[in-house]
């Protein structure tokens, strides 16, 4: 068989395994928890109009919107002095919206921690709207993103309108399991967090970490693409704070004042976020989700670490290893072994381990362990990896 054209190697997500056995390890968009997917299916069979057809100003939709906001507040312990916005344009929309809202003009400065592909993208976008001062998380020898640099008085520009970081670098596999605190003398600077791929999987100390803005595109852990949740501290809102060039759809103050109804929001997607928040609550809350996230990640990293080098993972510092996205290679990236792994796992229904990204296929495969993946499913992958290594000469 010519394996080069095998669907598993072309990134296909339609495994030949029975549907019930498919496990989606995609980095996003991806599957939501089964119970949430069932509720979504229920929307299509509901009598009367649903969030797919309701006007966004109808009382029935306002209830759906209020529910999603209220549950997100409860589950993520979002304090009252923060506003919850449903914004447009995905994570990339926020890359632009941040400087446009927090910098009044292009001469304003923002400090960016750059420790992976997504924070790099954030910088590329921000540079069009403000002066970017960056702190580097690369290994000085290899140039690879390996660490999260310390935040010190020396490396943060004290005039920064904000300090930006990505709490989980989805591609590079670096996660801050807790948000850092800025040095005492710089505490007045708001922290801005791209939590696109880890939001809802661990608690956030909003005040303690000095969070000013935190955003998460929905398509990893909390819903479907087309919606982003942006949480903003209210003192950062106000007439005349944003750049005069900030488009209305991106303007936090405009959208906050209009209660998320300045223009048509992604109505159905908002209902789905509410479903996910209900699900988290029913599981025992975000602390329980965190325990599961740890268990899933440990299952995979354990196989890697005990494989005598058969499997490799780029981040050595265990305190920084992502629980959400576990990058791994096989025999140092050996193509034949990698292809065999991809085909065998795909045929067993384990999909999404190598997907195409804006950054190419990358040197590593990646197991993404978002809310849609259960602990048992992560263990299945771990078992498969162990057996594969035994069979292929670990
Ligand atoms: C997926 C992702 C994004 C990109 O979001 P889009 O909705 O595709 O614009 C941004 N940041 C992180 C950390 C991500 O994982």
């Amino acid at each position: 068989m010519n394996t080069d054209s095998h669907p598993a190697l072309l990134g296909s997500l339609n495994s030949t395994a029975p549907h019930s056995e498919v496990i989606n390890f995609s980095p996003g968009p991806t599957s939501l928890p089964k119970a949430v997917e069932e509720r979504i299916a229920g929307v299509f069979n509901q009598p009367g109009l649903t969030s797919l057809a309701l006007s966004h100003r109808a009382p029935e939709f306002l209830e759906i919107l209020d529910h999603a906001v209220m549950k997100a507040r409860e589950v993520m312990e979002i304090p009252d002095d923060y506003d919850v916005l449903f914004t447009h344009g995905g994570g990339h929309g926020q890359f632009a919206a941040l400087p446009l809202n927090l910098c009044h003009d292009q001469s304003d400065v923002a400090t960016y921690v750059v420790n992976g592909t997504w924070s790099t993208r954030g910088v590329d976008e921000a540079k069009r709207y403000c002066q970017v001062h960056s702190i580097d998380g690369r290994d000085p020898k290899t140039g690879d993103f390996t660490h999260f640099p310390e935040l010190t008085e020396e490396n943060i520009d004290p005039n920064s309108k904000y300090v930006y970081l990505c709490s989980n670098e989805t591609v590079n596999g670096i996660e801050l399991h807790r948000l850092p605190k800025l040095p005492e003398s710089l505490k007045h600077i708001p922290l801005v967090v791209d939590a696109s791929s880890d939001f809802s999987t661990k608690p956030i100390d909003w005040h303690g970490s000095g969070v000013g803005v935190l955003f998460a595109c929905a398509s990893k852990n909390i819903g479907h693409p087309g919606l982003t949740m942006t949480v903003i501290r209210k003192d950062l809102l106000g007439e005349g704070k944003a750049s005069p060039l900030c488009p209305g759809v991106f303007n936090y103050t405009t959208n906050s004042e209009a209660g998320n109804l300045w223009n048509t929001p992604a109505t159905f997607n908002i209902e789905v976020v509410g479903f996910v928040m209900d699900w988290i609550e029913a599981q025992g809350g975000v602390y329980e989700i965190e325990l599961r996230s740890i268990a899933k990640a440990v299952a995979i990293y354990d196989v890697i670490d005990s494989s005598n080098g058969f499997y490799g993972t780029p981040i050595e510092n265990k305190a920084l290893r992502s629980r959400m996205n576990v990058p791994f290679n096989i025999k140092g990236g050996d193509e034949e072994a990698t292809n065999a792994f991809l085909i065998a796992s795909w045929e067993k229904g384990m999909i999404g381990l190598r997907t195409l990204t804006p950054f190419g296929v990358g040197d590593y495969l990646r197991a993404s362990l978002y809310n849609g993946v259960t602990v048992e499913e992560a263990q299945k992958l771990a078992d498969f990896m162990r057996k594969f290594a035994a069979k292929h000469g670990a």
Side-chain angles (χ1 to χ4, degrees), residues 89-93 95 118 166 168 170 194 196-197 215 217 219-220 228:
H92 287 79
F95 294 164
W118 287 117
C166 175
N168 181 59
T170 320
D194 175 0
S196 287
S197 53
F215 67 92
C217 66
S219 61
K220 289 19 189 295
T228 300

Side-chain angles (χ1 to χ4, degrees), residues 30 46 92 99 119 199 204 245 259 266 331 349:
T30 187
Q46 215 171 280
H92 287 79
S119 43
F199 184 68
I204 293 168
L245 295 176
K331 288 188 174 174

Side-chain angles (χ1 to χ4, degrees), residues 25-242:
F25 291 106
S26 295
T30 187
S31 304
L32 293 171
K34 288 272 172 324
V36 173
E37 292 190 336
E38 279 161 21
R39 272 190 88 183
I40 291 169
V43 171
F44 293 87
N45 299 316
Q46 215 171 280
L49 294 187
T50 69
S51 59
L52 289 159
L54 285 168
S55 156
H56 56 298
R57 300 185 195 280
E60 291 84 358
F61 178 73
L62 296 185
E63 218 172 278
I64 291 170
L65 173 63
D66 288 348
H67 178 81
V69 170
M70 183 192 72
K71 281 293 158 190
R73 278 192 182 282
E74 280 177 20
V75 164
M76 291 310 298
E77 300 174 332
I78 301 172
D80 288 343
D81 57 331
Y82 288 79
D83 219 344
V84 176
L85 302 180
F86 289 113
T87 49
H88 299 282
H92 287 79
Q94 293 310 299
F95 294 164
L98 285 162
L100 283 165
N101 277 278
L102 302 184
C103 298
H104 188 73
D105 51 68
Q106 255 175 324
S107 61
D108 283 343
V109 183
T111 295
Y112 276 69
V113 180
V114 183
N115 71 324
T117 47
W118 287 117
S119 43
T120 303
R121 278 223 161 183
V123 165
D124 290 346
E125 196 66 10
K127 274 184 180 159
R128 302 149 64 120
Y129 307 109
C130 69
Q131 304 301 312
V132 172
H133 169 77
S134 56
I135 312 176
D136 195 80
R138 289 178 189 270
D139 179 308
K141 285 203 198 85
T142 62
D144 293 338
F145 292 113
T146 49
H147 62 283
F148 190 87
E150 240 185 284
L151 302 177
T152 62
E153 281 181 24
E154 287 71 43
N155 62 18
I156 296 172
D157 187 322
N159 296 316
S160 297
K161 294 289 176 187
Y162 57 93
V163 172
Y164 178 103
L165 60 88
C166 175
S167 51
N168 181 59
E169 277 288 0
T170 320
V171 175
N172 311 77
I174 301 174
E175 178 176 349
L176 294 172
H177 301 143
R178 288 293 179 271
L179 292 176
K181 289 183 174 39
L182 296 182
E184 204 56 46
S185 62
L186 300 174
K187 279 258 161 73
H188 57 280
I189 304 177
L191 195 68
V192 166
V193 184
D194 175 0
S196 287
S197 53
D198 58 340
F199 184 68
S200 85
T201 69
K202 61 193 171 201
I204 293 168
D205 182 2
W206 299 88
H207 289 144
S209 303
V211 177
V213 183
L214 181 144
F215 67 92
C217 66
S219 61
K220 289 19 189 295
N221 274 302
I222 61 165
H224 295 143
L227 182 80
T228 300
M229 186 182 274
T230 301
V231 183
I232 175 160
R233 213 174 59 210
K234 288 178 183 165
D235 63 286
L236 298 170
L237 300 170
E239 228 36 71
K241 288 210 170 149

